[in-house]
Amino acid sequence: MKLTWRGTEVLSAAIIELLLAVIFTDLLLLIISTFLLVLLLGDFYTAYKTLERDRRALENMNSPEPLIKIFKGKVRSVELHLPRPLNSRVTADPEWVKVTSRGDKLLLTITPQTFGRYNIRFNITSQSRLGFWSTSYTSKPLLEVLALPSATPILARALSLIADLTSPGEDEGEEEKRAKRSPGVEYVGLREYEVGDSYRRINWLASLRAQKLIINEYLAGGGSLSLLVNLDSPSSAVLDFTISASLAVALASVQSGVDFTLYVISGGVLESTPSLDPLRGLEALVRLALEKYGLGFEALEYISPQPSPRLARVAEALKSLNLEKLFKDRTAKARYFTAKMRDTNLIVYCGNLVTNTQLLIDLLTSLKPGTRVVFVVHPKPWIEVKDPQEASIIAKTHERVSSFLRKHYAVYSKPEAAGEEVLLYSLSLSLSRPEKAAP
């Protein structure tokens, strides 16, 4: 509780009147001084009682749910019931929780900007009836908000599928059976139908010739797919997009039985896994997603879309030996990873076009001619950046790199497009395999 400017003036006047009363032994001045002090103390008492009543009402409010769940970036309204109306102004911390007081109810408008778990505290402030005192109080955590990533639905679907496919059981659903027996995309011949095989794989012409059911046989996990995931994101919205798109690829791979090699860029460093069967690949991506959501975001970098060899030549011409070595090392690393991709028919990139741009350009310029590359990128990676200058740089970088890529590759801005591309790819490969004669 603090004195307002008016209260400070009254207190100063009371002290001056008291000093003058003592010096001049003036009874009238003493009465005036005492009256002013009594006013201050009385106003203090009423302000304190009001604050205490509001504090108790706030701490005894009735919430419909102790843990409020909401997707990051969405808006949700929650109504809280109080034992009595408040006489104080109420705000909340964090600032994205807006409070509106309506009699004995508080209406909260919640709009979390980043995912995570947050404790909600309330601040009540008011002035005393005579305006001599200002009161304020910050409550203990009274509510909890769980802001879920936008990728939560597809992440939950992936976790559910992993649980279904890794848990032994006698009663399996049709989706689980299909996933376990899902055909690959490398056609290897024909064989006789067995119980549990999908009817969609029956080759009716071969069955008619052999007078028994014959199905197309595929090499499990066939095909050649590389998934390149850029986890360095300028904002939580872009990270959500990247994880959604990469999980869509993994889920589509499980559905079509396509093995894939996972390449992950994190902290500016590119790492890869051996070729993974679809389920193991899905598990690896889920682990990455959970780990990334538990950590922060990497720093941004903005680099012009130029291959490192070209930049190395520029650096050499400028006699900048350290830069020259840096670009040569980057070129060597890019060639090492693209050599691992030499048998890849399709590369799907999920992420954004404003971080690790140099590494991305180096990889693209090192690929063998004819390699099909599909980009699934966030359309507006600057959307959550508050600094106008930084947002402008990100927007210009995105536009420049996007124009560079669209000349040679397919570029999408919808996460689900990644899964559709993989399914179309597996279908095109299966249709392109010539059938062998029935045994």
Side-chain angles (χ1 to χ4, degrees), residues 187-190 203 206 209 214 216 433-439:
Y187 177 85
V188 294
L190 302 171
N203 188 317
R209 290 196 298 267
I214 302 296
N216 295 323
R433 303 299 181 186
E435 291 188 357
K436 297 182 180 179

Side-chain angles (χ1 to χ4, degrees), residues 107-404:
L107 180 64
L108 305 186
T109 304
I110 304 171
T111 314
Q113 300 303 311
T114 56
F115 43 78
R117 190 179 290 265
Y118 302 91
N119 290 320
I120 306 301
R121 292 178 170 84
F122 292 92
N123 307 306
I124 52 179
T125 58
S126 66
Q127 278 198 353
S128 59
R129 187 168 298 179
L130 299 178
F132 296 156
W133 300 91
S134 64
T135 60
S136 63
Y137 167 77
T138 300
S139 72
K140 62 184 181 181
L142 298 177
L143 292 174
E144 194 172 21
V145 173
L146 179 60
L148 299 170
S150 301
T152 298
I154 195 169
L155 184 59
R157 180 182 167 196
L159 288 169
S160 176
L161 185 58
I162 290 172
D164 291 338
L165 298 184
T166 55
S167 300
E170 296 181 359
D171 300 326
E172 294 179 324
E174 186 62 30
E175 183 177 352
E176 288 79 7
K177 290 181 180 178
R178 184 168 63 251
K180 285 188 176 181
R181 302 183 60 90
S182 58
V185 294
E186 295 290 341
Y187 177 85
V188 294
L190 302 171
R191 67 169 174 83
E192 189 173 350
Y193 173 84
E194 296 178 0
V195 177
D197 288 330
S198 172
Y199 289 108
R200 292 180 299 175
R201 295 170 59 189
I202 295 177
N203 188 317
W204 294 105
L205 290 177
S207 299
L208 186 62
R209 290 196 298 267
Q211 296 299 306
K212 56 184 176 181
L213 288 178
I214 302 296
I215 67 170
N216 295 323
E217 176 72 359
Y218 299 94
L219 181 64
S224 177
L225 170 67
S226 291
L227 174 58
L228 180 58
V229 182
N230 183 5
L231 289 178
D232 293 342
S233 303
S235 67
S236 59
V238 177
L239 179 62
D240 275 341
F241 180 95
T242 301
I243 290 177
S244 295
S246 57
L247 286 174
V249 172
L251 288 169
S253 298
V254 172
Q255 183 176 349
S256 57
V258 181
D259 291 359
F260 63 88
T261 303
L262 180 61
Y263 297 85
V264 179
I265 306 174
S266 182
V269 177
L270 175 62
E271 296 179 347
S272 66
T273 67
S275 181
L276 302 170
D277 68 75
L279 184 57
R280 299 286 86 78
L282 180 61
E283 290 173 350
L285 273 172
V286 168
R287 283 195 298 271
L288 279 173
L290 295 176
E291 178 184 351
K292 197 63 182 177
Y293 281 138
L295 302 176
F297 308 116
E298 304 295 342
L300 295 177
E301 65 171 8
Y302 312 102
I303 302 176
S304 174
Q306 297 291 334
S308 279
R310 182 177 300 176
L311 296 178
R313 289 194 295 271
V314 174
E316 186 176 8
L318 296 174
K319 305 299 181 184
S320 180
L321 299 181
N322 291 334
L323 285 178
E324 178 188 353
K325 182 178 183 303
L326 171 65
F327 292 133
K328 286 183 177 179
D329 289 345
R330 285 185 171 182
T331 302
K333 288 181 180 179
R335 287 175 178 169
Y336 166 76
F337 281 104
T338 50
K340 297 176 67 175
M341 299 180 186
R342 62 181 179 272
D343 297 326
T344 297
N345 298 322
L346 172 67
I347 297 175
V348 179
Y349 171 83
C350 301
N352 64 85
L353 299 179
V354 296
T355 63
N356 300 310
T357 315
Q358 185 65 59
L359 180 58
L360 181 60
I361 297 300
D362 290 344
L363 287 172
L364 293 176
T365 53
S366 302
L367 292 173
K368 67 179 181 180
T371 303
R372 184 182 176 194
V373 184
V374 175
F375 289 86
V376 187
V377 298
H378 195 284
K380 296 180 179 180
W382 60 89
I383 193 169
E384 289 184 347
V385 178
K386 295 182 179 180
D387 184 358
Q389 186 175 4
E390 185 181 3
S392 175
I393 294 174
I394 294 178
K396 291 178 181 177
T397 303
H398 175 82
E399 181 181 357
R400 184 168 60 249
V401 180
S402 179
S403 299
F404 174 83

Side-chain angles (χ1 to χ4, degrees), residues 1-5 7 40-55 58 86-91 122-139:
M1 191 164 312
K2 297 180 180 180
L3 280 169
T4 63
W5 178 253
L40 282 172
L41 290 175
D43 201 37
F44 175 87
Y45 177 77
T46 57
Y48 174 77
K49 296 297 289 185
T50 299
L51 180 65
E52 280 296 300
R53 284 196 298 269
D54 288 348
R55 180 186 64 80
L58 196 61
L86 300 180
N87 295 313
S88 306
R89 179 175 176 269
V90 185
T91 59
F122 292 92
N123 307 306
I124 52 179
T125 58
S126 66
Q127 278 198 353
S128 59
R129 187 168 298 179
L130 299 178
F132 296 156
W133 300 91
S134 64
T135 60
S136 63
Y137 167 77
T138 300
S139 72

